[in-house]
Amino acid sequence: QVQLVESGGGLVHSGGSRILSCVASGVDFGDAFMRWYRQAPGKELELVASITRAGTSTTYADSVKGRFTISRDNAKDQGFLQMDILKPEDTAVYYCNLDLPTGSRHWGRGTQVTVSS
């Protein structure tokens, strides 16, 4: 059974930093395309960042480009989202997502990030 567990959320002041992690189990992590999404209260789910299986290519939403960095450690079945220069509008629940070659998609339960102004 595939399980994704996010951690690292919490309360941070505007301009601060936070690093989120996503630990995977029950899956060959290196085979999975990984993404981070977020959902703010009353808003739709937003794709924040993605990273290829080998970690050689990344993409970012315009809203976080230059401030967030996605990375992964396939040896440890772990992914990360380094968030710098945080803004109140970054407040959301952040979700880790894996896409497998089989076509299946898996989600964590999310971790709340709250940025105070």
Side-chain angles (χ1 to χ4, degrees):
Q1 181 180 357
V2 179
Q3 187 173 16
L4 303 179
V5 179
E6 302 97 335
S7 63
L11 177 64
V12 60
H13 292 299
S14 182
S17 296
R18 204 83 183 177
I19 184 164
L20 306 182
S21 68
C22 171
V23 178
S25 60
V27 64
D28 188 344
F29 186 71
D31 279 349
F33 194 96
M34 190 183 81
R35 298 179 179 91
W36 285 94
Y37 287 82
R38 68 185 180 185
Q39 188 164 29
K43 295 191 175 181
E44 294 184 353
L45 195 64
E46 176 188 17
L47 175 61
V48 175
S50 62
I51 186 167
T52 54
R53 295 176 180 86
T56 53
S57 181
T58 58
T59 59
Y60 298 92
D62 287 343
S63 57
V64 306
K65 203 170 291 183
R67 300 188 298 120
F68 289 13
T69 303
I70 188 172
S71 62
R72 64 192 296 162
D73 184 342
N74 289 345
K76 296 183 177 179
D77 296 337
Q78 200 165 1
F80 305 95
L81 185 67
Q82 173 71 46
M83 306 185 295
D84 298 315
I85 319 175
L86 282 162
K87 304 175 181 180
E89 51 263 44
D90 293 319
T91 295
V93 178
Y94 284 73
Y95 298 93
C96 175
N97 163 261
L98 296 185
D99 278 352
L100 297 178
T102 58
S104 63
R105 305 195 78 190
H106 302 276
W107 296 84
R109 292 189 174 186
T111 185
Q112 173 73 47
V113 174
T114 303
V115 184
S116 63
S117 57

